[in-house]
Amino acid sequence: MASLIGAIQSLLPQHEGLLPKWLLFVAITAFGNTIQSYTTLSFTSRVYGGPTSFPTVPNPTPTTPPSLNRQVTPLSSRTFGTWSLIQAFVRLYAAYNIDNPAFYQLAYLTYLVAFGHFMSEWFYFGTCRWGKPLAGPAVVSTGTLVWMWWVWGDYVQ
């Protein structure tokens, strides 16, 4: 058992602190999100469940099934999956190279872009509604932006 734990720990980023491990966790999550974006519309439809200009059902509500949401098409879901894949790679590289200013800044920018995207879809375009599906990306992007700003000097010299 100890050898298994040691093997797993050897695969984790070796830098001090929790931020590198967090970046690894979010990168792995993004890889999973990429897979689901290419295989189903269900989860992406939950995030982008706001009103549409061409609703299948009149006045969709938070309980409208994702299958009736026309905001998300197979193409838009795959595009979102590709975007998630790029972000996953940047965050993965940053997790293992967190002392490199370029990787740190690129990872920071991925969270800034995610924050801007989700907030604009919610506030400006109206394609997202506040709830569990939007809360995850909103909390992760906002929290990580603040955290990375706060500890910049601990990792980048």
Side-chain angles (χ1 to χ4, degrees):
M1 182 65 152
S3 63
L4 176 63
I5 292 172
I8 292 171
Q9 287 178 334
S10 71
L11 297 174
L12 296 175
Q14 299 303 306
H15 290 85
E16 294 293 321
L18 291 176
L19 183 59
K21 281 95 176 155
W22 172 253
L23 293 176
L24 175 63
F25 172 74
V26 176
I28 291 168
T29 303
F31 282 121
N33 190 37
T34 297
I35 293 168
Q36 72 80 22
S37 292
Y38 272 85
T39 58
T40 180
L41 299 180
S42 178
F43 298 106
T44 306
S45 293
R46 291 179 191 164
V47 175
Y48 300 98
T52 67
S53 58
F54 47 93
T56 307
V57 293
N59 303 318
T61 67
T63 59
T64 300
S67 61
L68 299 178
N69 174 3
R70 290 290 184 217
Q71 290 288 69
V72 177
T73 65
L75 175 60
S76 69
S77 186
R78 291 189 306 271
T79 302
F80 186 73
T82 302
W83 177 61
S84 295
L85 182 63
I86 292 166
Q87 293 209 354
F89 279 122
V90 170
R91 293 167 183 173
L92 181 70
Y93 273 79
Y96 288 96
N97 299 282
I98 198 150
D99 54 349
N100 182 319
F103 284 121
Y104 198 99
Q105 291 166 6
L106 284 172
Y108 188 84
L109 287 172
T110 68
Y111 290 102
L112 190 61
V113 168
F115 174 81
H117 168 73
F118 288 112
M119 293 303 104
S120 68
E121 292 297 331
W122 180 27
F123 287 119
Y124 184 74
F125 297 109
T127 56
C128 295
R129 288 175 286 194
W130 185 254
K132 279 186 193 180
L134 180 58
V139 169
V140 169
S141 63
T142 305
T144 307
L145 280 169
V146 171
W147 188 6
M148 288 184 76
W149 183 269
W150 188 265
V151 298
W152 164 274
D154 296 341
Y155 292 102
V156 178
Q157 303 303 322

